[in-house]
Amino acid sequence: MTGYDNSLPQLTYNPKQAKELLAKGGHPNGITFTLVDMNDPTSVNIAQAMQAEMAKAGITMKIQPEALSTYLNAIMTPNTAQASYGLWQADYPDPQDFLYNQYDGQNKNGFDVSFWDNPQVDTLLNEADAGTSQTTRVAQYQQAQTLILQGAPAVPLFYGAMDLLKSPHIHPSTTQIYLHQMLPIQFQYLYKKK
């Protein structure tokens, strides 16, 4: 991805330290919150895995699975959901599709479900969006990304990957399979040769 910055510190998993920080912050018995989630099996399984890991840190996470329309209404309405699990699949490989859509507090048509707003980040994202120098854009996106990670409006959990095995009986040839950098495989272009 354009703008990838491997110098950023990685998030660490430390339930013991999390417990200590909660106690230091006035919550010696931990905290409880509700996670609004989609009610499909994959999302619920991920939420249950999160719930188990949070419990190790003294955090009680209740899961509230909802139908898609109810889930979207809850996460897109301020002060409705305490927390949510969600995903983002980009339409094109540029940091604009991730950062502007999710973290520009002034972008009312985006997917800023954290409702986090940082004027410095907004300025960087808007300048990068309108910029014509790729070098300048990358520097602006990297600066915005650093500020976003410091502000922690969201916790990145994982980035999905897909493995592809192809039978020699499936055509067209491997080099002609219609693959998109960001979207699922377009199986309608494949056929089995007898």
Side-chain angles (χ1 to χ4, degrees), residues 35 37 41-54 61 63 65:
L35 177 104
D37 192 19
T42 300
S43 295
V44 170
N45 286 340
I46 290 169
Q48 289 171 339
M50 291 167 50
Q51 183 181 51
E53 295 302 321
M54 297 257 188
M61 185 181 91
I63 302 170

Side-chain angles (χ1 to χ4, degrees), residues 44-73:
V44 170
N45 286 340
I46 290 169
Q48 289 171 339
M50 291 167 50
Q51 183 181 51
E53 295 302 321
M54 297 257 188
K56 294 175 185 175
I59 299 169
T60 302
M61 185 181 91
K62 299 176 183 178
I63 302 170
Q64 181 181 326
E66 298 286 359
L68 183 60
S69 61
T70 305
Y71 164 80
L72 289 173
N73 185 58

Side-chain angles (χ1 to χ4, degrees), residues 47-170:
Q48 289 171 339
M50 291 167 50
Q51 183 181 51
E53 295 302 321
M54 297 257 188
K56 294 175 185 175
I59 299 169
T60 302
M61 185 181 91
K62 299 176 183 178
I63 302 170
Q64 181 181 326
E66 298 286 359
L68 183 60
S69 61
T70 305
Y71 164 80
L72 289 173
N73 185 58
I75 67 171
M76 298 299 288
T77 305
N79 304 313
T80 302
Q82 288 182 302
S84 65
Y85 159 75
L87 53 93
W88 185 259
Q89 179 173 310
D91 300 306
Y92 46 90
D94 188 89
Q96 190 270 354
D97 193 38
F98 289 90
L99 300 180
Y100 175 72
N101 283 314
Q102 295 181 79
Y103 300 109
D104 185 331
Q106 302 307 306
N107 178 10
K108 301 306 176 199
N109 296 316
F111 199 69
D112 180 11
V113 298
S114 69
F115 304 103
W116 182 74
D117 191 15
N118 178 315
Q120 187 179 2
V121 169
D122 296 346
T123 298
L124 285 165
L125 295 178
N126 281 284
E127 287 176 359
D129 190 32
T132 56
S133 164
Q134 188 69 338
T135 303
T136 302
R137 289 180 73 241
V138 166
Q140 290 166 325
Y141 283 129
Q142 287 178 334
Q143 188 178 351
Q145 176 179 251
T146 298
L147 292 169
I148 292 164
L149 289 172
Q150 288 171 350
V155 178
L157 297 176
F158 60 87
Y159 185 81
M162 177 175 33
D163 295 319
L164 175 65
L165 299 175
K166 183 183 154 307
S167 164
H169 303 290
I170 301 298

